[in-house]
Amino acid sequence: MSEYFLRQEDLPRFLQSLMAAVPVVGPVAKKNHFVFQKLSSPEELRLDYDVSLLPPKKAIFPQTQRLLDFSPNGPKSCIAPREQVLFGVHFYDIKAIDMLDHLFSENVADQNYLANRHATTIVGSSIQKISDRAFWGSVGKNTQPKGHDAFLTKISGGFHFKALTEKGEKLTSHGQFSKASDAQSKEAKQVNEEILGKCPQRLQHSAEQIAQKVRASFKNEKLWDELAEKCFSCGSCNIACSTCYCFDVQDKWNLDQKSGHRTRTWDACLTEDFAKVSLGAGGATENFREKRSHRFRHRVMRKTAYLNDKLGGPACVGCGRCSEGCVPDIADPVKIINKIMES
Amino acid sequence: MASKEMNENVFMPKEAEILRIEQATPTERRFSLKLRDGATLDYQPGQMLELSLFGYGEIPIGFASSPTRKHGFDVVVRTVGRVSSAINRLEKGQSVWVRGPLGNGFDLKQMRGQDVLIVAGGIGLCPTRSLIQYILDRREEFKRFILFFGAKTPKDHIFPEDIDAWRKSKDVEYHETVDKADPDWKGNVGVITKLFGKTQLSPQTRVVVCGPPIMYKFVMLELEKLHIPPNQIFLDLERRMKCGIGKCGHCQMNEKYVCMDGPVFAYDQIRNLEEAFG
Ligand code: SF4
Ligand code: SF4
Ligand code: FES
């Protein structure tokens, strides 16, 4: 596939044309944060965002998703994907979406996710500002971002646009793209390489070393008690996460009390009831992860060890959203991992 | 990808008619079900399904009958929450919705031609009944068949006719106990592990264990004493489940998923899993 150049001043017209053809979801400013949402004008797009509040996976795997509609006539599937372009995704979030692609297709394929995914064209973008808590430069170095359709890099005078798939290639028909010169392609490559060294936070060990040590520390109760001491089981570290994909399934009635829908909602393994079952009369329950330190441990295991065989690396991409979202500031994987490595 | 396949929804259940209901205990009801479209559910003993009622939700449940019985399939629903309470208010002829079969059942290949012991505690008898019926229906394929059942009280006997039949049957060596007797009870009283004193077991025996979480540790100790190796022991485990297809994360036990890798596990697969036995 080919590499192109788009002048800075031609970006708005490109977006305008694209938005006329298909909904475009991208990073926009909201109060003092950035969020991914459907663009209503090209000017809204903020390619200089550092990190979005919620990860862009929500455009494919929404916080609440209808699975089935039901009525007295029976259930109906709600799979009805809408074409969209997910624009301006940083490489770490591209990695995360690629992980979800794998996890939702392995064994039993879940078309509630996959149909949305297939209808989505992903355009990545280079990182122009770095969030304070980011550590994507040092995490899971063996997994490369893939699965996206094109990648946009800010270079002198405009953007380098690399088309990676047919879908990505087609986007260029919406703008004044010219072939990128060798110098421009070289500059883009350099921009994306250099940024990796600029993260404020770093892991000191390889993914394999971390996976091994963390898994081997499972029974170190004292360590987990210390790490989770201030945790109040709010689940924010899960909800903010780029790679978390646990969900709950619930039925909701419509106002008529005859029809309704079965929906799934993001769930969080840090919350108290996540693994709790009712056993019988009198409210007897069994909570398979009763202690908050055990729930805390489960998240760390999932991010650093449990899924590595399936994914070829850790299920953490270093976005730092969990670190930012945790009120007592104990969810930061860099601090957690460094402490475990020293234990 | 074909468009039909692309739109197939793994959460879409099938409609099943309630053929029969029995109030097994004050909190448990036994349902015989049949798919409305006339199809048979192609399941193995030990597998599960998601049972649901629209507007209330889904609950995971083990098949309580064997696929060798062609009338349909049985499940036992204990009233514990919103969904199960709603289902337990239904009547014969009404519909429930089912999604499955899910997970891995019992490894029948490992059991054929061998002595089989089933240790069932409380409602652990429901999912194991799928295997009990299977063995009784194909009795010649197995050697000795021993069944231990422990209930809280004689009133908690979920399948009284079955139990009556097993007591009399020559096809199964049936031993039972209750934690607490009532005046009519003439049998054993005490924990289920006491039943190990009632019979001789060869180290070749294939063992299936299903019961409340607390039971496993004690039964494993007994089996160790009998020198029955871990790869001959199968545990049918329960966890919270939502999706049943290895995605939602609720059933996870370290890196394993009870809904996909289980609910039946060989003991050697999970004995080093810290979260398997709490
Ligand atoms: S965000 Fe922090 S306090 Fe909340 S569950 Fe996660 S670790 Fe605990
Ligand atoms: S664990 Fe934290 S840093 Fe890692 S992907 Fe999730 S939110 Fe980002
Ligand atoms: S029940 Fe959802 S992963 Fe097992």
Side-chain angles (χ1 to χ4, degrees):
Chain A
M1 295 288 153
S2 325
E3 304 189 23
Y4 299 91
F5 177 71
L6 182 71
R7 291 183 309 168
Q8 179 80 42
E9 57 269 35
D10 288 335
L11 180 67
R13 259 197 299 155
F14 164 55
L15 289 168
Q16 196 78 63
S17 164
L18 193 58
M19 286 162 56
V22 57
V24 178
V25 175
V28 307
K30 201 169 192 180
K31 295 191 186 132
N32 14 1
H33 294 288
F34 294 98
V35 296
F36 271 85
Q37 67 179 43
K38 187 175 164 224
L39 301 182
S40 52
S41 75
E43 293 71 38
E44 267 188 335
L45 181 74
R46 290 288 299 272
L47 289 176
D48 63 338
Y49 77 109
D50 52 358
V51 65
S52 61
L53 218 45
L54 289 178
K57 72 172 182 196
K58 69 170 188 172
I60 300 161
F61 175 47
Q63 278 162 286
T64 302
Q65 179 177 24
R66 282 191 189 199
L67 303 172
L68 306 169
D69 282 339
F70 59 83
S71 72
N73 300 327
K76 258 191 10 227
S77 169
C78 294
I79 297 176
R82 279 185 35 229
E83 292 288 326
Q84 62 177 346
V85 174
L86 185 51
F87 200 95
V89 184
H90 287 162
F91 86 90
Y92 51 84
D93 282 331
I94 295 177
K95 279 170 73 168
I97 291 172
D98 186 46
M99 292 178 193
L100 299 187
D101 291 353
H102 177 79
L103 295 162
F104 278 108
S105 19
E106 66 160 8
N107 301 319
V108 182
D110 181 356
Q111 298 302 341
N112 293 282
Y113 174 91
L114 294 171
N116 285 349
R117 177 65 184 91
H118 286 300
T120 305
T121 303
I122 299 180
V123 180
S125 75
S126 58
I127 297 168
Q128 299 181 27
K129 281 209 187 77
I130 303 176
S131 113
D132 295 343
R133 309 303 292 264
F135 58 101
W136 31 254
S138 59
V139 69
K141 288 199 228 166
N142 295 338
T143 42
Q144 294 304 316
K146 57 181 169 25
H148 51 310
D149 300 285
F151 198 90
L152 196 69
T153 306
K154 177 91 189 69
I155 58 170
S156 2
F159 299 93
H160 174 266
F161 182 93
K162 190 174 189 174
L164 295 154
T165 66
E166 207 60 56
K167 277 203 273 181
E169 190 76 48
K170 276 201 195 129
L171 298 178
T172 56
S173 70
H174 288 281
Q176 298 287 95
F177 287 85
S178 56
K179 282 260 170 263
S181 68
D182 285 352
Q184 285 168 330
S185 294
K186 210 172 133 206
E187 188 186 344
K189 199 160 172 260
Q190 208 173 357
V191 165
N192 288 313
E193 272 167 14
E194 274 173 9
I195 197 91
L196 293 176
K198 293 187 179 154
C199 266
Q201 311 281 333
R202 306 197 60 76
L203 293 173
Q204 312 294 342
H205 302 84
S206 74
E208 295 75 24
Q209 288 170 321
I210 293 167
Q212 223 174 27
K213 174 78 180 181
V214 171
R215 188 66 185 86
S217 306
F218 194 96
K219 288 192 169 162
N220 189 344
E221 295 284 342
K222 188 167 160 280
L223 175 68
W224 299 109
D225 281 342
E226 278 169 26
L227 284 167
E229 199 196 332
K230 294 191 194 129
C231 176
F232 52 93
S233 307
C234 67
S236 301
C237 48
N238 296 129
I239 298 303
C241 183
S242 198
T243 65
C244 273
Y245 64 106
C246 286
F247 56 86
D248 190 15
V249 181
Q250 297 273 350
D251 282 11
K252 305 234 160 63
W253 293 105
N254 292 332
L255 285 175
D256 64 8
Q257 290 284 310
K258 287 193 185 102
S259 60
H261 37 268
R262 184 159 288 171
T263 58
R264 72 168 158 207
T265 322
W266 293 357
D267 208 344
C269 64
L270 266 286
T271 54
E272 205 177 322
D273 291 351
F274 187 81
K276 189 153 123 185
V277 292
S278 312
L279 287 183
T285 58
E286 172 87 29
N287 190 340
F288 291 98
R289 245 174 256 112
E290 181 135 43
K291 286 181 70 180
R292 66 187 162 167
S293 64
H294 291 175
R295 298 191 294 273
F296 188 96
R297 175 177 68 191
H298 185 65
R299 178 178 87 99
V300 177
M301 290 289 160
R302 269 187 66 121
K303 296 302 160 196
T304 61
Y306 287 166
L307 295 162
N308 295 27
D309 285 350
K310 292 183 179 190
L311 299 174
C316 167
V317 295
C319 67
R321 289 184 178 96
C322 54
S323 322
E324 222 157 324
C326 175
V327 174
D329 196 0
I330 53 167
D332 184 344
V334 178
K335 289 191 196 144
I336 296 171
I337 290 168
N338 289 343
K339 173 154 178 162
I340 298 172
M341 295 310 284
E342 284 157 23
S343 70
Chain B
M1 220 181 290
S3 69
K4 183 176 169 285
E5 193 181 316
M6 267 214 61
N7 288 326
E8 206 168 301
N9 196 333
V10 286
F11 289 93
M12 181 60 78
K14 287 183 151 191
E15 189 173 10
E17 182 188 349
I18 301 173
L19 299 178
R20 221 163 74 104
I21 303 176
E22 255 169 80
Q23 188 76 41
T25 72
T27 52
E28 278 132 1
R29 297 217 298 172
R30 193 168 118 201
F31 293 85
S32 295
L33 306 173
K34 198 180 180 90
L35 293 182
R36 289 259 189 214
D37 65 6
T40 34
L41 268 185
D42 192 11
Y43 68 96
Q44 289 292 306
Q47 282 191 296
M48 307 166 289
L49 58 107
E50 286 279 353
L51 184 68
S52 70
L53 194 59
F54 288 117
Y56 298 90
E58 286 187 312
I59 45 170
I61 210 152
F63 286 97
S65 59
S66 163
T68 49
R69 310 267 163 116
K70 299 291 182 202
H71 68 280
F73 54 95
D74 295 352
V75 292
V76 174
V77 179
R78 171 181 272 195
T79 302
V80 292
R82 206 168 96 90
V83 186
S84 51
S85 308
I87 292 175
N88 275 347
R89 286 194 296 267
L90 295 174
E91 284 163 20
K92 186 180 154 178
Q94 289 188 291
S95 288
V96 285
W97 296 81
V98 299
R99 189 158 68 78
L102 304 168
N104 286 311
F106 297 107
D107 189 348
L108 296 166
K109 262 195 260 127
Q110 273 255 20
M111 297 179 193
R112 289 208 178 90
Q114 305 290 344
D115 291 357
V116 178
L117 164 69
I118 295 179
V119 184
I123 50 166
L125 188 62
C126 304
T128 42
R129 184 174 179 253
S130 64
L131 181 62
I132 297 168
Q133 287 188 343
Y134 186 93
I135 296 175
L136 292 173
D137 290 350
R138 304 196 169 183
R139 189 63 191 86
E140 67 291 349
E141 292 178 16
F142 303 86
K143 278 169 52 187
R144 276 180 73 195
F145 176 32
I146 309 114
L147 172 58
F148 290 176
F149 174 53
K152 273 210 187 96
T153 72
K155 281 199 194 60
D156 295 308
H157 282 172
I158 304 160
F159 305 104
E161 322 91 75
D162 286 3
I163 289 174
D164 257 356
W166 300 335
R167 283 178 185 142
K168 293 175 199 143
S169 172
K170 289 200 174 65
D171 287 331
V172 53
E173 299 167 42
Y174 178 68
H175 300 275
E176 62 189 330
T177 179
V178 294
D179 292 344
K180 232 165 123 197
D182 61 19
D184 297 332
W185 182 253
K186 298 195 179 60
N188 301 307
V189 178
V191 292
I192 197 163
T193 43
K194 280 197 169 174
L195 298 177
F196 281 92
K198 303 277 170 197
T199 184
Q200 296 286 320
L201 293 164
S202 105
Q204 299 299 315
T205 310
R206 304 301 195 263
V207 185
V208 166
V209 189
C210 185
I214 179 106
M215 193 185 93
Y216 292 93
K217 271 185 216 162
F218 297 103
V219 173
M220 292 306 121
L221 286 175
E222 293 298 325
L223 297 175
E224 208 172 298
K225 282 189 231 159
L226 292 165
H227 304 290
I228 296 175
N231 62 352
Q232 286 170 217
I233 303 170
F234 303 92
L235 301 94
D236 190 344
L237 299 183
E238 189 195 15
R239 285 294 184 277
R240 177 133 188 248
M241 283 183 204
K242 281 288 175 176
C243 71
I245 53 167
K247 314 285 183 209
C248 79
H250 284 277
C251 69
Q252 229 185 331
M253 204 168 68
N254 297 95
E255 44 275 273
K256 299 228 184 267
Y257 293 80
V258 173
C259 71
M260 288 294 290
D261 304 315
V264 179
F265 292 92
Y267 185 40
D268 60 340
Q269 285 183 323
I270 54 164
R271 66 171 172 163
N272 293 323
L273 281 191
E274 299 90 341
E275 289 187 331
F277 305 100

Short mmCIF file of all heavy atoms in Angstrom, two decimals, chain B residues 50 240-252 257-260, ligand 3:
data_model
loop_
_atom_site.label_atom_id
_atom_site.label_comp_id
_atom_site.label_asym_id
_atom_site.label_seq_id
_atom_site.Cartn_x
_atom_site.Cartn_y
_atom_site.Cartn_z
N GLU B 50 -27.51 -21.84 29.31
CA GLU B 50 -28.02 -20.62 29.94
C GLU B 50 -29.53 -20.67 29.78
O GLU B 50 -30.05 -20.82 28.68
CB GLU B 50 -27.47 -19.37 29.24
CG GLU B 50 -26.01 -19.06 29.55
CD GLU B 50 -25.79 -18.33 30.87
OE1 GLU B 50 -26.78 -17.93 31.52
OE2 GLU B 50 -24.62 -18.16 31.25
N ARG B 240 -19.60 -17.81 39.09
CA ARG B 240 -20.53 -16.86 38.51
C ARG B 240 -20.35 -16.88 36.99
O ARG B 240 -19.23 -16.92 36.51
CB ARG B 240 -20.23 -15.46 39.06
CG ARG B 240 -21.10 -14.39 38.45
CD ARG B 240 -21.68 -13.48 39.51
NE ARG B 240 -22.65 -12.58 38.92
CZ ARG B 240 -22.47 -11.26 38.81
NH1 ARG B 240 -21.36 -10.71 39.26
NH2 ARG B 240 -23.40 -10.51 38.27
N MET B 241 -21.44 -16.91 36.25
CA MET B 241 -21.33 -16.90 34.79
C MET B 241 -22.31 -15.93 34.20
O MET B 241 -23.44 -15.79 34.67
CB MET B 241 -21.62 -18.29 34.24
CG MET B 241 -20.47 -19.24 34.41
SD MET B 241 -20.84 -20.81 33.65
CE MET B 241 -19.72 -21.82 34.61
N LYS B 242 -21.88 -15.28 33.14
CA LYS B 242 -22.76 -14.37 32.43
C LYS B 242 -22.86 -14.75 30.96
O LYS B 242 -23.94 -14.88 30.43
CB LYS B 242 -22.25 -12.93 32.58
CG LYS B 242 -22.60 -12.30 33.91
CD LYS B 242 -24.10 -12.01 33.95
CE LYS B 242 -24.54 -11.50 35.31
NZ LYS B 242 -25.96 -11.15 35.30
N CYS B 243 -21.73 -14.89 30.29
CA CYS B 243 -21.79 -15.10 28.84
C CYS B 243 -21.78 -16.57 28.47
O CYS B 243 -22.40 -16.97 27.49
CB CYS B 243 -20.65 -14.37 28.15
SG CYS B 243 -19.02 -15.10 28.44
N GLY B 244 -21.04 -17.38 29.21
CA GLY B 244 -20.93 -18.80 28.88
C GLY B 244 -20.07 -19.10 27.66
O GLY B 244 -20.00 -20.23 27.21
N ILE B 245 -19.40 -18.08 27.12
CA ILE B 245 -18.59 -18.29 25.92
C ILE B 245 -17.17 -17.74 26.06
O ILE B 245 -16.51 -17.42 25.07
CB ILE B 245 -19.27 -17.66 24.67
CG1 ILE B 245 -19.60 -16.18 24.92
CG2 ILE B 245 -20.54 -18.42 24.29
CD1 ILE B 245 -19.97 -15.40 23.68
N GLY B 246 -16.71 -17.64 27.30
CA GLY B 246 -15.31 -17.28 27.51
C GLY B 246 -14.96 -15.82 27.26
O GLY B 246 -13.82 -15.52 26.95
N LYS B 247 -15.92 -14.92 27.41
CA LYS B 247 -15.63 -13.51 27.14
C LYS B 247 -15.80 -12.62 28.37
O LYS B 247 -14.96 -11.77 28.63
CB LYS B 247 -16.54 -12.95 26.04
CG LYS B 247 -16.71 -13.80 24.81
CD LYS B 247 -15.51 -13.77 23.90
CE LYS B 247 -15.76 -14.58 22.63
NZ LYS B 247 -14.54 -15.14 22.07
N CYS B 248 -16.89 -12.77 29.08
CA CYS B 248 -17.28 -11.75 30.08
C CYS B 248 -16.41 -11.73 31.32
O CYS B 248 -16.44 -10.78 32.09
CB CYS B 248 -18.74 -11.95 30.48
SG CYS B 248 -18.97 -13.30 31.68
N GLY B 249 -15.63 -12.79 31.55
CA GLY B 249 -14.67 -12.79 32.64
C GLY B 249 -15.19 -13.23 34.00
O GLY B 249 -14.41 -13.46 34.92
N HIS B 250 -16.51 -13.35 34.15
CA HIS B 250 -17.05 -13.62 35.48
C HIS B 250 -16.65 -14.97 36.06
O HIS B 250 -16.56 -15.14 37.27
CB HIS B 250 -18.57 -13.49 35.46
CG HIS B 250 -19.01 -12.07 35.44
ND1 HIS B 250 -19.11 -11.31 36.58
CD2 HIS B 250 -19.29 -11.24 34.42
CE1 HIS B 250 -19.47 -10.08 36.27
NE2 HIS B 250 -19.59 -10.00 34.96
N CYS B 251 -16.45 -15.96 35.22
CA CYS B 251 -16.23 -17.32 35.72
C CYS B 251 -14.76 -17.64 35.89
O CYS B 251 -14.40 -18.77 36.16
CB CYS B 251 -16.84 -18.32 34.76
SG CYS B 251 -15.94 -18.37 33.19
N GLN B 252 -13.90 -16.65 35.71
CA GLN B 252 -12.46 -16.94 35.66
C GLN B 252 -11.91 -17.46 36.97
O GLN B 252 -12.31 -17.05 38.05
CB GLN B 252 -11.68 -15.70 35.23
CG GLN B 252 -10.70 -16.01 34.12
CD GLN B 252 -9.84 -14.82 33.76
OE1 GLN B 252 -10.26 -13.68 33.90
NE2 GLN B 252 -8.63 -15.09 33.30
N TYR B 257 -11.16 -20.50 32.30
CA TYR B 257 -12.55 -20.05 32.26
C TYR B 257 -13.44 -21.26 32.53
O TYR B 257 -13.42 -22.22 31.76
CB TYR B 257 -12.88 -19.47 30.88
CG TYR B 257 -12.13 -18.19 30.61
CD1 TYR B 257 -10.80 -18.22 30.18
CD2 TYR B 257 -12.73 -16.95 30.82
CE1 TYR B 257 -10.10 -17.05 29.97
CE2 TYR B 257 -12.03 -15.78 30.60
CZ TYR B 257 -10.71 -15.83 30.17
OH TYR B 257 -10.01 -14.67 29.97
N VAL B 258 -14.20 -21.20 33.60
CA VAL B 258 -15.03 -22.35 33.96
C VAL B 258 -16.06 -22.64 32.86
O VAL B 258 -16.35 -23.78 32.57
CB VAL B 258 -15.70 -22.13 35.34
CG1 VAL B 258 -16.70 -23.24 35.65
CG2 VAL B 258 -14.64 -22.05 36.42
N CYS B 259 -16.53 -21.59 32.18
CA CYS B 259 -17.55 -21.80 31.16
C CYS B 259 -17.02 -22.45 29.89
O CYS B 259 -17.78 -23.05 29.14
CB CYS B 259 -18.24 -20.48 30.81
SG CYS B 259 -17.22 -19.33 29.88
N MET B 260 -15.73 -22.31 29.63
CA MET B 260 -15.16 -22.85 28.39
C MET B 260 -14.26 -24.06 28.67
O MET B 260 -14.35 -25.06 28.01
CB MET B 260 -14.29 -21.79 27.70
CG MET B 260 -15.03 -20.67 27.07
SD MET B 260 -16.05 -21.19 25.68
CE MET B 260 -14.79 -21.59 24.46
S1 FES C 3 -19.16 -16.95 31.86
FE1 FES C 3 -18.37 -15.28 30.69
S2 FES C 3 -16.28 -15.85 30.55
FE2 FES C 3 -17.16 -17.58 31.46
#
